[in-house]
Amino acid sequence: MASDYYRVPDWETRLRTVTHAFGLVVGAIVLGLVGASFAVQLLALFGVRIESVETAAPLPYAVLNAAQFVGYYAAGLLYLNWQGFPDLFRVGLPSLRDLAWVVGGFVALYLLATGLAVVFEALGIESATNSVVEQGRQDPVRFLYLIPVTFLFVAPGEELVFRGVIQGIFREAYGVVPAVVFASAIFGFGHWLALLGSSTGKVRYVVVTAVLGLVLATLYELTENLIVPILVHACWNSVSFLSQYADVTGMVWLAGIGH
């Protein structure tokens, strides 16, 4: 029914849902910083001292990134426990149909990203750079270490928070379509603090990320399996890392994949 897609609750529920969504993002970021700080102390116990993220060797750098996204796991699971939402989202072994959606979703991301890049370039608007990419280009081996990290920590952590929990609570309060739109917009803005560059470039990056988030959100609603957007997200990041690695190291045959 139409009400399932455009459910509008009372103002109290609207406000609570929005407040919880933004609070969850802030909590995930804070817990991520705590996790990274803990990882620094843990590495020091093993004789690995990190003066700064920029100068960290590839393996410790990957550990720091993984620890940061453990914070996303923690924030999502703590929220679910607090609110008593054990069945807010679904996770299961992907079927052949799900895997087909993974392939289709990846292709959709590529086509959308390419199209948006053409539009923004025509408008003369350059994109900001994610700090992870900038740090990786200083030591390209980092990109290779980040591939398993994105499959095990980054993509699952972000999808748990943005698609599983935030999209879930918006769906319960507003319906499917608003949930997809709002969760994707928050997903885009959630990357703002990690960006380097002009404000205009950051806006472009956020818009593109939000649009790509729409694909991930739609995939989840179509498949009802959080593993699907996790796999698409992880594959997308990994291809981008491979492309960046190839670009820096001169492996021309790979360099154009993620651009």
Side-chain angles (χ1 to χ4, degrees):
M1 296 176 64
S3 60
D4 293 330
Y5 294 94
Y6 298 97
R7 187 181 307 122
V8 180
D10 57 88
W11 279 102
E12 181 181 351
T13 303
R14 293 182 187 180
L15 180 60
R16 183 175 64 249
T17 301
V18 172
T19 302
H20 283 200
F22 281 99
L24 181 58
V25 174
V26 172
I29 293 172
V30 171
L31 288 176
L33 294 174
V34 172
S37 177
F38 177 78
V40 170
Q41 302 302 320
L42 185 62
L43 288 169
L45 292 177
F46 290 92
V48 180
R49 297 195 175 276
I50 300 176
E51 300 298 330
S52 68
V53 175
E54 290 75 13
T55 60
L59 181 56
Y61 178 80
V63 170
L64 289 180
N65 274 274
Q68 179 182 350
F69 283 92
V70 168
Y72 278 69
Y73 277 107
L77 295 176
L78 286 172
Y79 180 83
L80 291 172
N81 182 67
W82 173 47
Q83 289 295 303
F85 286 149
D87 301 320
L88 188 62
F89 59 89
R90 297 182 181 180
V91 178
L93 187 67
S95 64
L96 289 177
R97 175 178 176 272
D98 290 335
L99 294 177
W101 278 113
V102 170
V103 175
F106 184 88
V107 172
L109 284 184
Y110 181 82
L111 293 176
L112 269 176
T114 302
L116 288 171
V118 171
V119 171
F120 280 115
E121 291 300 326
L123 294 173
I125 302 175
E126 295 185 0
S127 178
T129 304
N130 192 298
S131 57
V132 172
V133 171
E134 188 62 32
Q135 292 161 6
R137 292 182 71 86
Q138 296 173 22
D139 185 351
V141 176
R142 290 174 174 176
F143 288 125
L144 302 182
Y145 279 81
L146 286 176
I147 292 174
V149 171
T150 201
F151 270 95
L152 297 175
F153 298 95
V154 179
E158 288 194 336
E159 293 305 310
L160 170 64
V161 168
F162 292 104
R163 246 64 64 183
V165 180
I166 291 178
Q167 188 167 321
I169 61 176
F170 272 114
R171 187 192 311 108
E172 292 294 317
Y174 289 83
V176 174
V177 174
V180 167
V181 174
F182 293 152
S184 300
I186 295 172
F187 177 64
F189 279 108
H191 288 76
W192 183 276
L193 295 178
L195 301 179
L196 304 173
S198 67
S199 295
T200 304
K202 291 180 179 180
V203 169
R204 167 180 166 172
Y205 191 103
V206 167
V207 169
V208 172
T209 303
V211 171
L212 299 185
L214 286 172
V215 175
L216 297 173
T218 302
L219 285 172
Y220 174 55
E221 293 296 340
L222 290 172
T223 62
E224 296 185 338
N225 188 350
L226 197 63
I227 297 298
V228 173
I230 287 174
L231 288 176
V232 176
H233 191 159
C235 289
W236 178 260
N237 284 2
S238 297
V239 168
S240 297
F241 290 147
L242 281 174
S243 177
Q244 291 291 338
Y245 175 80
D247 188 42
V248 176
T249 58
M251 297 175 64
V252 181
W253 62 281
L254 273 176
I257 294 180
H259 293 298

